[in-house]
Amino acid sequence: MTTEETNPFASPQTDISATSQPEADQAYPMTATATAVIEDVPEMHRHKVRTIGMRFLLGLPNVAIPITLGIVFYTLAAFGPAWLNLGGNASLALLVACITLFFTLIYVLTNAFCQDRWWESLLRKQINNRPAPWVSSEATGTEFVTLTSTQPKSMASFQLGSNEAEIIDIGLLQLDKTKGEMILECDNRRYRIPRRSLLDCDVQQIKLQSPWTQVVKIACQTSKGPHEFCILPADVQPWLAFTQRYRKREAERIAQAIYELPETR
């Protein structure tokens, strides 16, 4: 029997989640002196928001809007000149106008839909039904975020392009400056991460659903070893959501607020 003391921060024998597998020799810029707590939401309240059916319904406008507009503008461009008895130059002008208006309306309508607002509303209603949530949906200072993996998701051999990260959860984020901890109440899991348990908190880019997206990478120490995930800020301003500068600014805001949490004991 060994007499050496057990290291509470030793690498885990098994991973907490299949979507968070840090390298065995991963070096982190920060040193943890506390442990974070991550647990599943009670089964009867788990995975009630981001279901396959709801993902399909909320994703439908992004498909239906371009198809509907495409049919309308194709019909107008193809048959409009004959209906209006337009000449060659007028027909060309109509075609250019249709193409311009088509892409403009796609951008405006898909952004105006703002998926994250719907997800947030559904999540807050679900959290209200939970017996003892770690984050109250009525508390001030909470904000909706999406959690993603840090490592790319393996893609099938027939899929083109590079591997992408994947969305693993959605939740409400609260930064408790009194206790010096970050709390996440998500659709599937709960996270209580003291500032002193952080190993890394940095803004990085990940490939998520094609574009490179600015996120906050979080690494924290748990009783089972390091755990990693990324926080994607909500698209609360749909007209700026697709600009890299806006996403970077929002990610930096969250990362700075987390980093500035007091290291209370």
Side-chain angles (χ1 to χ4, degrees):
M1 180 179 296
T2 179
T3 58
E4 295 181 0
E5 294 184 1
T6 302
N7 181 4
F9 296 150
S11 298
Q13 296 299 315
T14 57
D15 295 316
I16 295 177
S17 168
T19 59
S20 57
Q21 299 178 355
E23 299 288 340
D25 58 349
Q26 175 72 54
Y28 293 105
M30 303 162 65
T31 301
T33 57
T35 56
V37 177
I38 302 174
E39 65 178 41
D40 291 335
V41 170
E43 186 174 359
M44 64 179 299
H45 299 285
R46 191 186 314 154
H47 198 59
K48 297 295 186 180
V49 182
R50 197 172 176 269
T51 61
I52 294 178
M54 191 56 64
R55 287 160 60 184
F56 173 79
L57 288 176
L58 292 185
L60 192 59
N62 291 333
V63 177
I65 290 173
I67 292 177
T68 303
L69 290 177
I71 294 173
V72 171
F73 283 103
Y74 173 79
T75 303
L76 183 59
F79 302 103
W83 294 341
L84 301 174
N85 296 319
L86 299 178
N89 291 336
S91 297
L92 180 60
L94 178 62
L95 177 61
V96 172
C98 286
I99 294 175
T100 302
L101 189 57
F102 170 67
F103 287 105
T104 301
L105 284 178
I106 286 180
Y107 175 79
V108 171
L109 293 178
T110 53
N111 283 349
F113 179 69
C114 198
Q115 251 191 46
D116 279 358
R117 293 190 183 277
W118 290 90
W119 284 125
E120 179 179 1
S121 176
L122 293 170
L123 180 64
R124 288 184 182 274
K125 289 179 181 178
Q126 176 60 30
I127 289 177
N128 282 336
N129 296 327
R130 296 177 182 176
W134 289 3
V135 174
S136 171
S137 64
E138 307 298 331
T140 58
T142 60
E143 61 179 295
F144 176 82
V145 295
T146 299
L147 273 61
T148 76
S149 61
T150 58
Q151 300 295 333
K153 178 183 178 181
S154 297
M155 302 179 73
S157 58
F158 61 82
Q159 291 179 291
L160 301 177
S162 59
N163 292 351
E164 297 186 358
E166 62 176 330
I167 295 175
I168 57 177
D169 215 340
I170 56 174
L172 293 184
L173 169 67
Q174 183 180 53
L175 302 181
D176 190 332
K177 295 182 179 180
T178 302
K179 296 181 179 180
E181 62 184 11
M182 172 177 63
I183 309 171
L184 283 158
E185 181 82 13
C186 300
D187 188 25
N188 299 321
R189 311 186 86 178
R190 293 167 170 166
Y191 302 72
R192 189 180 297 276
I193 305 175
R195 171 63 178 80
R196 294 188 298 117
S197 71
L198 287 178
L199 297 167
D200 194 7
C201 177
D202 190 23
V203 175
Q204 295 186 0
Q205 281 190 331
I206 60 170
K207 190 173 178 59
L208 180 67
Q209 299 173 351
S210 293
W212 287 94
T213 304
Q214 300 281 353
V215 296
V216 182
K217 178 186 175 182
I218 297 293
C220 60
Q221 186 67 50
T222 71
S223 59
K224 296 182 179 180
H227 183 76
E228 295 181 352
F229 62 94
C230 292
I231 295 176
L232 175 65
D235 293 336
V236 293
Q237 298 187 37
W239 315 117
L240 300 174
F242 292 102
T243 62
Q244 289 296 323
R245 182 178 299 178
Y246 169 77
R247 287 190 182 277
K248 182 179 181 181
R249 185 172 68 245
E250 287 298 290
E252 289 175 344
R253 174 185 62 82
I254 292 178
Q256 186 66 24
I258 294 173
Y259 191 79
E260 291 179 350
L261 286 172
E263 297 189 27
T264 58
R265 294 184 179 276

